Amino acid sequence: MPNHTLSVDTYQRISHGYDSVASRSHSLHTDSYRDPAFLDIEQQQIFHKSWQFLCHEEKLRKPGSYVAAYVQGQSVFACRGNDGELRSFYNVCKHRGHELVQGSGQTKAIACPYHAWVFGLDGHLSSARRSELIENFNVDDNCLDAVRVEIFCHLVFINLDPDARPLAKQSESLASEVMGYAPDLANLTHAHTLTYQIKANWKAVVDNFLECYHCPVAHRDFCTLVEMDTYKVKTYGIYSSHMAKAGRSDNKAYGVEDASVTDHAVWYLWPNTTLMRYPGRGNFMVWRFYPAGPEETYEVFDFFLESDTPNEAELEAIKFVDEVLQLEDIALVESVQRGMQTPAFNQGRYLVDPDDSGLSEHAVHHFHGLVLDAYRQAVPA
């Protein structure tokens, strides 16, 4: 991968006005939301060094199960070996580079569909047709290249950085928080997926997610789903938590009359993943924001429920997310992206509540600090 760098002058311009204290800080300069050069830096310094969600562990519980995916442009797959070990590899044959598997499924070995080289679920080459006819061929020199994989809160994550610290250590107390709110997560199953193409930089989408200052203005139905006076936001090393109690009266979002989950519990995990538990029956959602270009984001929203077929109330909740909440947010961030094209706006201020309420933007400030830390790594010493 090319080594993209950021000049000292560019870094100083982008970070000018940013202060470690949110209440006296300016936000990131808008060039980082528009210039393709920053996306190159982000791919190198952020996405190729961070933990990326792959799937719920339910898909990889049985020996021989596998899941293939693209992680920030890299084709990879994870599989459960016959020895019970979970492993992950680049999804590429060592012969001519053909992808080995697609989607998900069950297999006893990994056979390349191009020339039928066969790899064990431990990544070792077990057979290569007619390889006995060539000189100096060593099976051990043709093993699959491993990729970091980790099960975190019953969710499978991949990291392309071989030197990355384990997610469980990087995220400190996040696992205990998630499992405290979602003790049934291991038993939930995939039930629905929503996807969106958004005409806005991925950071603008994350910015919007990290504050509810806009909620009373833009999400009036959502504000009846939760009690806004209980909404609290806390920031930690690589994550932030966004907590509120379910509404105490009838709401205009979706019905929660028989809800067993009475908390709105949401976590943002650096750089592009959110973990969510909404009021209702047992549920969990994993929402990801993938950069599809400097001014385009691809969103994936997976729902994990008590059964793989949503009931009537859950269908109502999914419809609310898809047809109300998401449409409101997409309109907001696309308008922001258009506004960033004008010379009238380069940076803004964070509206900060010292009580860490949901109306505060201190989690946006926290996110921008992480982005600037990553940019700094691209500045030559």
Side-chain angles (χ1 to χ4, degrees), residues 44-78:
Q44 177 177 286
Q45 297 296 339
I46 297 177
F47 292 104
H48 285 193
K49 294 183 178 181
S50 58
W51 290 96
Q52 298 289 315
F53 174 76
L54 180 66
C55 64
H56 191 290
E57 70 171 342
E58 66 170 347
K59 281 196 169 185
L60 291 166
R61 283 197 178 114
K62 297 179 180 178
S65 55
Y66 68 88
V67 174
Y70 286 93
V71 175
Q72 297 303 318
Q74 302 295 309
S75 186
V76 301
F77 74 94

mmCIF file of all heavy atoms in Angstrom, residues 44-78:
data_model
loop_
_atom_site.group_PDB
_atom_site.id
_atom_site.type_symbol
_atom_site.label_atom_id
_atom_site.label_comp_id
_atom_site.label_asym_id
_atom_site.label_seq_id
_atom_site.Cartn_x
_atom_site.Cartn_y
_atom_site.Cartn_z
ATOM 1 N N GLN A 44 -5.152 4.482 5.395
ATOM 2 C CA GLN A 44 -3.861 3.977 5.862
ATOM 3 C C GLN A 44 -3.724 4.042 7.370
ATOM 4 O O GLN A 44 -3.296 3.069 8.007
ATOM 5 C CB GLN A 44 -2.740 4.783 5.191
ATOM 6 C CG GLN A 44 -1.331 4.406 5.638
ATOM 7 C CD GLN A 44 -0.305 5.215 4.865
ATOM 8 O OE1 GLN A 44 -0.052 4.973 3.691
ATOM 9 N NE2 GLN A 44 0.269 6.214 5.512
ATOM 10 N N GLN A 45 -4.070 5.179 7.959
ATOM 11 C CA GLN A 45 -3.801 5.403 9.376
ATOM 12 C C GLN A 45 -4.965 5.044 10.298
ATOM 13 O O GLN A 45 -4.764 4.895 11.501
ATOM 14 C CB GLN A 45 -3.428 6.873 9.607
ATOM 15 C CG GLN A 45 -2.161 7.310 8.915
ATOM 16 C CD GLN A 45 -0.927 6.595 9.425
ATOM 17 O OE1 GLN A 45 -0.902 6.058 10.538
ATOM 18 N NE2 GLN A 45 0.119 6.569 8.622
ATOM 19 N N ILE A 46 -6.177 4.907 9.741
ATOM 20 C CA ILE A 46 -7.341 4.620 10.575
ATOM 21 C C ILE A 46 -7.913 3.241 10.266
ATOM 22 O O ILE A 46 -7.877 2.341 11.100
ATOM 23 C CB ILE A 46 -8.424 5.707 10.407
ATOM 24 C CG1 ILE A 46 -7.899 7.068 10.889
ATOM 25 C CG2 ILE A 46 -9.685 5.328 11.191
ATOM 26 C CD1 ILE A 46 -8.873 8.226 10.683
ATOM 27 N N PHE A 47 -8.403 3.049 9.054
ATOM 28 C CA PHE A 47 -9.168 1.836 8.759
ATOM 29 C C PHE A 47 -8.312 0.584 8.663
ATOM 30 O O PHE A 47 -8.769 -0.504 9.010
ATOM 31 C CB PHE A 47 -9.994 2.044 7.491
ATOM 32 C CG PHE A 47 -11.096 3.042 7.682
ATOM 33 C CD1 PHE A 47 -10.986 4.327 7.185
ATOM 34 C CD2 PHE A 47 -12.230 2.716 8.400
ATOM 35 C CE1 PHE A 47 -11.994 5.257 7.382
ATOM 36 C CE2 PHE A 47 -13.241 3.638 8.608
ATOM 37 C CZ PHE A 47 -13.123 4.906 8.100
ATOM 38 N N HIS A 48 -7.084 0.710 8.195
ATOM 39 C CA HIS A 48 -6.226 -0.469 8.106
ATOM 40 C C HIS A 48 -5.521 -0.759 9.435
ATOM 41 O O HIS A 48 -4.728 -1.699 9.513
ATOM 42 C CB HIS A 48 -5.192 -0.288 6.992
ATOM 43 C CG HIS A 48 -5.783 -0.436 5.618
ATOM 44 N ND1 HIS A 48 -5.024 -0.565 4.478
ATOM 45 C CD2 HIS A 48 -7.071 -0.495 5.197
ATOM 46 C CE1 HIS A 48 -5.811 -0.680 3.418
ATOM 47 N NE2 HIS A 48 -7.049 -0.630 3.845
ATOM 48 N N LYS A 49 -5.844 0.013 10.465
ATOM 49 C CA LYS A 49 -5.242 -0.217 11.773
ATOM 50 C C LYS A 49 -6.292 -0.379 12.871
ATOM 51 O O LYS A 49 -5.942 -0.398 14.053
ATOM 52 C CB LYS A 49 -4.307 0.950 12.137
ATOM 53 C CG LYS A 49 -3.087 1.077 11.243
ATOM 54 C CD LYS A 49 -2.180 2.212 11.714
ATOM 55 C CE LYS A 49 -0.940 2.307 10.851
ATOM 56 N NZ LYS A 49 -0.021 3.389 11.310
ATOM 57 N N SER A 50 -7.552 -0.507 12.498
ATOM 58 C CA SER A 50 -8.615 -0.552 13.504
ATOM 59 C C SER A 50 -9.428 -1.830 13.364
ATOM 60 O O SER A 50 -9.407 -2.502 12.329
ATOM 61 C CB SER A 50 -9.529 0.674 13.362
ATOM 62 O OG SER A 50 -10.100 0.727 12.065
ATOM 63 N N TRP A 51 -10.156 -2.162 14.405
ATOM 64 C CA TRP A 51 -10.988 -3.361 14.421
ATOM 65 C C TRP A 51 -12.290 -3.101 13.695
ATOM 66 O O TRP A 51 -12.999 -2.146 13.994
ATOM 67 C CB TRP A 51 -11.237 -3.804 15.859
ATOM 68 C CG TRP A 51 -9.991 -4.341 16.499
ATOM 69 C CD1 TRP A 51 -9.112 -3.665 17.289
ATOM 70 C CD2 TRP A 51 -9.477 -5.667 16.366
ATOM 71 N NE1 TRP A 51 -8.078 -4.489 17.664
ATOM 72 C CE2 TRP A 51 -8.273 -5.735 17.118
ATOM 73 C CE3 TRP A 51 -9.916 -6.824 15.698
ATOM 74 C CZ2 TRP A 51 -7.503 -6.895 17.213
ATOM 75 C CZ3 TRP A 51 -9.155 -7.974 15.783
ATOM 76 C CH2 TRP A 51 -7.971 -8.012 16.533
ATOM 77 N N GLN A 52 -12.600 -3.970 12.720
ATOM 78 C CA GLN A 52 -13.771 -3.827 11.870
ATOM 79 C C GLN A 52 -14.709 -5.019 12.074
ATOM 80 O O GLN A 52 -14.273 -6.169 12.061
ATOM 81 C CB GLN A 52 -13.353 -3.746 10.399
ATOM 82 C CG GLN A 52 -12.463 -2.541 10.071
ATOM 83 C CD GLN A 52 -13.224 -1.236 10.130
ATOM 84 O OE1 GLN A 52 -14.336 -1.120 9.617
ATOM 85 N NE2 GLN A 52 -12.634 -0.219 10.766
ATOM 86 N N PHE A 53 -15.988 -4.722 12.228
ATOM 87 C CA PHE A 53 -16.982 -5.765 12.462
ATOM 88 C C PHE A 53 -17.118 -6.679 11.244
ATOM 89 O O PHE A 53 -17.166 -6.221 10.105
ATOM 90 C CB PHE A 53 -18.332 -5.109 12.761
ATOM 91 C CG PHE A 53 -19.472 -6.090 12.888
ATOM 92 C CD1 PHE A 53 -19.626 -6.862 14.033
ATOM 93 C CD2 PHE A 53 -20.391 -6.236 11.858
ATOM 94 C CE1 PHE A 53 -20.680 -7.759 14.152
ATOM 95 C CE2 PHE A 53 -21.449 -7.127 11.963
ATOM 96 C CZ PHE A 53 -21.586 -7.893 13.118
ATOM 97 N N LEU A 54 -17.200 -7.992 11.507
ATOM 98 C CA LEU A 54 -17.416 -8.976 10.450
ATOM 99 C C LEU A 54 -18.795 -9.612 10.539
ATOM 100 O O LEU A 54 -19.563 -9.587 9.569
ATOM 101 C CB LEU A 54 -16.339 -10.061 10.508
ATOM 102 C CG LEU A 54 -16.449 -11.166 9.445
ATOM 103 C CD1 LEU A 54 -16.219 -10.593 8.055
ATOM 104 C CD2 LEU A 54 -15.459 -12.292 9.733
ATOM 105 N N CYS A 55 -19.142 -10.179 11.701
ATOM 106 C CA CYS A 55 -20.416 -10.871 11.834
ATOM 107 C C CYS A 55 -20.653 -11.231 13.296
ATOM 108 O O CYS A 55 -19.755 -11.098 14.131
ATOM 109 C CB CYS A 55 -20.456 -12.148 10.984
ATOM 110 S SG CYS A 55 -19.253 -13.408 11.489
ATOM 111 N N HIS A 56 -21.842 -11.689 13.606
ATOM 112 C CA HIS A 56 -22.138 -12.280 14.906
ATOM 113 C C HIS A 56 -21.463 -13.649 14.958
ATOM 114 O O HIS A 56 -21.360 -14.344 13.944
ATOM 115 C CB HIS A 56 -23.653 -12.413 15.065
ATOM 116 C CG HIS A 56 -24.102 -12.773 16.446
ATOM 117 N ND1 HIS A 56 -23.898 -14.012 17.011
ATOM 118 C CD2 HIS A 56 -24.780 -12.048 17.386
ATOM 119 C CE1 HIS A 56 -24.410 -14.047 18.225
ATOM 120 N NE2 HIS A 56 -24.960 -12.852 18.479
ATOM 121 N N GLU A 57 -20.999 -14.044 16.132
ATOM 122 C CA GLU A 57 -20.292 -15.321 16.235
ATOM 123 C C GLU A 57 -21.173 -16.518 15.879
ATOM 124 O O GLU A 57 -20.657 -17.613 15.632
ATOM 125 C CB GLU A 57 -19.719 -15.515 17.640
ATOM 126 C CG GLU A 57 -20.750 -15.746 18.722
ATOM 127 C CD GLU A 57 -20.127 -16.144 20.056
ATOM 128 O OE1 GLU A 57 -18.957 -16.563 20.068
ATOM 129 O OE2 GLU A 57 -20.825 -16.017 21.078
ATOM 130 N N GLU A 58 -22.490 -16.340 15.826
ATOM 131 C CA GLU A 58 -23.375 -17.450 15.470
ATOM 132 C C GLU A 58 -23.005 -18.052 14.120
ATOM 133 O O GLU A 58 -23.183 -19.251 13.894
ATOM 134 C CB GLU A 58 -24.840 -16.992 15.442
ATOM 135 C CG GLU A 58 -25.162 -15.991 14.344
ATOM 136 C CD GLU A 58 -26.654 -15.731 14.166
ATOM 137 O OE1 GLU A 58 -27.457 -16.497 14.716
ATOM 138 O OE2 GLU A 58 -27.001 -14.753 13.463
ATOM 139 N N LYS A 59 -22.480 -17.236 13.213
ATOM 140 C CA LYS A 59 -22.122 -17.717 11.885
ATOM 141 C C LYS A 59 -20.841 -18.539 11.877
ATOM 142 O O LYS A 59 -20.546 -19.215 10.876
ATOM 143 C CB LYS A 59 -21.963 -16.536 10.917
ATOM 144 C CG LYS A 59 -23.264 -15.967 10.396
ATOM 145 C CD LYS A 59 -23.008 -15.098 9.188
ATOM 146 C CE LYS A 59 -24.310 -14.729 8.477
ATOM 147 N NZ LYS A 59 -24.062 -13.975 7.231
ATOM 148 N N LEU A 60 -20.072 -18.475 12.946
ATOM 149 C CA LEU A 60 -18.765 -19.143 12.974
ATOM 150 C C LEU A 60 -18.616 -20.052 14.189
ATOM 151 O O LEU A 60 -17.517 -20.274 14.669
ATOM 152 C CB LEU A 60 -17.650 -18.089 12.961
ATOM 153 C CG LEU A 60 -17.512 -17.308 11.644
ATOM 154 C CD1 LEU A 60 -16.632 -16.081 11.838
ATOM 155 C CD2 LEU A 60 -16.946 -18.202 10.552
ATOM 156 N N ARG A 61 -19.713 -20.578 14.686
ATOM 157 C CA ARG A 61 -19.648 -21.437 15.864
ATOM 158 C C ARG A 61 -19.209 -22.863 15.515
ATOM 159 O O ARG A 61 -18.471 -23.495 16.259
ATOM 160 C CB ARG A 61 -21.011 -21.477 16.560
ATOM 161 C CG ARG A 61 -21.312 -20.230 17.393
ATOM 162 C CD ARG A 61 -22.437 -20.479 18.376
ATOM 163 N NE ARG A 61 -22.679 -19.306 19.199
ATOM 164 C CZ ARG A 61 -23.796 -18.584 19.171
ATOM 165 N NH1 ARG A 61 -24.776 -18.943 18.350
ATOM 166 N NH2 ARG A 61 -23.940 -17.535 19.949
ATOM 167 N N LYS A 62 -19.679 -23.385 14.377
ATOM 168 C CA LYS A 62 -19.433 -24.783 14.039
ATOM 169 C C LYS A 62 -18.105 -24.959 13.307
ATOM 170 O O LYS A 62 -17.744 -24.132 12.464
ATOM 171 C CB LYS A 62 -20.564 -25.311 13.152
ATOM 172 C CG LYS A 62 -21.924 -25.329 13.816
ATOM 173 C CD LYS A 62 -22.979 -25.848 12.846
ATOM 174 C CE LYS A 62 -24.359 -25.870 13.481
ATOM 175 N NZ LYS A 62 -25.400 -26.335 12.512
ATOM 176 N N PRO A 63 -17.364 -26.049 13.583
ATOM 177 C CA PRO A 63 -16.155 -26.339 12.803
ATOM 178 C C PRO A 63 -16.494 -26.420 11.316
ATOM 179 O O PRO A 63 -17.499 -27.013 10.917
ATOM 180 C CB PRO A 63 -15.703 -27.699 13.343
ATOM 181 C CG PRO A 63 -16.236 -27.732 14.745
ATOM 182 C CD PRO A 63 -17.560 -27.020 14.682
ATOM 183 N N GLY A 64 -15.688 -25.779 10.483
ATOM 184 C CA GLY A 64 -15.923 -25.753 9.049
ATOM 185 C C GLY A 64 -16.725 -24.561 8.570
ATOM 186 O O GLY A 64 -16.849 -24.348 7.361
ATOM 187 N N SER A 65 -17.268 -23.760 9.474
ATOM 188 C CA SER A 65 -18.021 -22.576 9.056
ATOM 189 C C SER A 65 -17.062 -21.471 8.633
ATOM 190 O O SER A 65 -15.970 -21.333 9.171
ATOM 191 C CB SER A 65 -18.933 -22.093 10.190
ATOM 192 O OG SER A 65 -18.192 -21.857 11.368
ATOM 193 N N TYR A 66 -17.486 -20.684 7.657
ATOM 194 C CA TYR A 66 -16.652 -19.583 7.183
ATOM 195 C C TYR A 66 -17.526 -18.396 6.783
ATOM 196 O O TYR A 66 -18.700 -18.554 6.434
ATOM 197 C CB TYR A 66 -15.781 -20.012 5.992
ATOM 198 C CG TYR A 66 -16.571 -20.310 4.737
ATOM 199 C CD1 TYR A 66 -16.881 -19.302 3.818
ATOM 200 C CD2 TYR A 66 -17.014 -21.600 4.457
ATOM 201 C CE1 TYR A 66 -17.616 -19.566 2.671
ATOM 202 C CE2 TYR A 66 -17.754 -21.876 3.312
ATOM 203 C CZ TYR A 66 -18.046 -20.858 2.424
ATOM 204 O OH TYR A 66 -18.781 -21.122 1.298
ATOM 205 N N VAL A 67 -16.933 -17.197 6.835
ATOM 206 C CA VAL A 67 -17.583 -15.961 6.389
ATOM 207 C C VAL A 67 -16.541 -15.141 5.650
ATOM 208 O O VAL A 67 -15.455 -14.892 6.178
ATOM 209 C CB VAL A 67 -18.142 -15.146 7.578
ATOM 210 C CG1 VAL A 67 -18.668 -13.797 7.089
ATOM 211 C CG2 VAL A 67 -19.235 -15.910 8.294
ATOM 212 N N ALA A 68 -16.854 -14.752 4.417
ATOM 213 C CA ALA A 68 -15.971 -13.903 3.624
ATOM 214 C C ALA A 68 -16.547 -12.496 3.540
ATOM 215 O O ALA A 68 -17.764 -12.316 3.562
ATOM 216 C CB ALA A 68 -15.793 -14.479 2.223
ATOM 217 N N ALA A 69 -15.677 -11.511 3.442
ATOM 218 C CA ALA A 69 -16.133 -10.124 3.362
ATOM 219 C C ALA A 69 -15.002 -9.258 2.846
ATOM 220 O O ALA A 69 -13.838 -9.687 2.767
ATOM 221 C CB ALA A 69 -16.582 -9.627 4.734
ATOM 222 N N TYR A 70 -15.355 -8.030 2.479
ATOM 223 C CA TYR A 70 -14.353 -7.030 2.138
ATOM 224 C C TYR A 70 -14.205 -6.103 3.337
ATOM 225 O O TYR A 70 -15.177 -5.510 3.806
ATOM 226 C CB TYR A 70 -14.755 -6.231 0.897
ATOM 227 C CG TYR A 70 -14.615 -7.021 -0.374
ATOM 228 C CD1 TYR A 70 -15.692 -7.725 -0.895
ATOM 229 C CD2 TYR A 70 -13.391 -7.079 -1.040
ATOM 230 C CE1 TYR A 70 -15.555 -8.468 -2.060
ATOM 231 C CE2 TYR A 70 -13.245 -7.820 -2.204
ATOM 232 C CZ TYR A 70 -14.328 -8.514 -2.702
ATOM 233 O OH TYR A 70 -14.188 -9.249 -3.855
ATOM 234 N N VAL A 71 -12.998 -6.020 3.852
ATOM 235 C CA VAL A 71 -12.701 -5.128 4.966
ATOM 236 C C VAL A 71 -11.838 -3.995 4.430
ATOM 237 O O VAL A 71 -10.657 -4.183 4.129
ATOM 238 C CB VAL A 71 -11.985 -5.880 6.109
ATOM 239 C CG1 VAL A 71 -11.572 -4.908 7.219
ATOM 240 C CG2 VAL A 71 -12.879 -6.977 6.671
ATOM 241 N N GLN A 72 -12.484 -2.846 4.240
ATOM 242 C CA GLN A 72 -11.806 -1.664 3.716
ATOM 243 C C GLN A 72 -11.043 -1.986 2.431
ATOM 244 O O GLN A 72 -9.864 -1.665 2.277
ATOM 245 C CB GLN A 72 -10.877 -1.070 4.779
ATOM 246 C CG GLN A 72 -11.597 -0.590 6.010
ATOM 247 C CD GLN A 72 -12.673 0.450 5.692
ATOM 248 O OE1 GLN A 72 -12.451 1.339 4.883
ATOM 249 N NE2 GLN A 72 -13.822 0.335 6.321
ATOM 250 N N GLY A 73 -11.719 -2.646 1.509
ATOM 251 C CA GLY A 73 -11.140 -2.931 0.206
ATOM 252 C C GLY A 73 -10.315 -4.190 0.132
ATOM 253 O O GLY A 73 -9.869 -4.582 -0.954
ATOM 254 N N GLN A 74 -10.101 -4.849 1.261
ATOM 255 C CA GLN A 74 -9.308 -6.068 1.294
ATOM 256 C C GLN A 74 -10.223 -7.279 1.445
ATOM 257 O O GLN A 74 -11.071 -7.321 2.338
ATOM 258 C CB GLN A 74 -8.319 -6.030 2.464
ATOM 259 C CG GLN A 74 -7.368 -4.843 2.441
ATOM 260 C CD GLN A 74 -6.427 -4.888 1.248
ATOM 261 O OE1 GLN A 74 -5.778 -5.888 0.981
ATOM 262 N NE2 GLN A 74 -6.364 -3.784 0.506
ATOM 263 N N SER A 75 -10.034 -8.273 0.566
ATOM 264 C CA SER A 75 -10.844 -9.482 0.619
ATOM 265 C C SER A 75 -10.280 -10.419 1.685
ATOM 266 O O SER A 75 -9.109 -10.819 1.625
ATOM 267 C CB SER A 75 -10.837 -10.178 -0.746
ATOM 268 O OG SER A 75 -11.725 -11.269 -0.768
ATOM 269 N N VAL A 76 -11.104 -10.759 2.673
ATOM 270 C CA VAL A 76 -10.670 -11.610 3.779
ATOM 271 C C VAL A 76 -11.772 -12.631 4.084
ATOM 272 O O VAL A 76 -12.901 -12.491 3.632
ATOM 273 C CB VAL A 76 -10.364 -10.794 5.053
ATOM 274 C CG1 VAL A 76 -9.274 -9.765 4.797
ATOM 275 C CG2 VAL A 76 -11.630 -10.113 5.573
ATOM 276 N N PHE A 77 -11.416 -13.656 4.851
ATOM 277 C CA PHE A 77 -12.435 -14.562 5.366
ATOM 278 C C PHE A 77 -11.989 -15.085 6.729
ATOM 279 O O PHE A 77 -10.798 -15.132 7.040
ATOM 280 C CB PHE A 77 -12.729 -15.721 4.401
ATOM 281 C CG PHE A 77 -11.672 -16.786 4.334
ATOM 282 C CD1 PHE A 77 -11.757 -17.935 5.118
ATOM 283 C CD2 PHE A 77 -10.599 -16.657 3.466
ATOM 284 C CE1 PHE A 77 -10.788 -18.922 5.046
ATOM 285 C CE2 PHE A 77 -9.631 -17.646 3.375
ATOM 286 C CZ PHE A 77 -9.722 -18.783 4.171
ATOM 287 N N ALA A 78 -12.976 -15.427 7.530
ATOM 288 C CA ALA A 78 -12.728 -16.059 8.824
ATOM 289 C C ALA A 78 -13.347 -17.444 8.792
ATOM 290 O O ALA A 78 -14.364 -17.666 8.117
ATOM 291 C CB ALA A 78 -13.315 -15.232 9.957
#
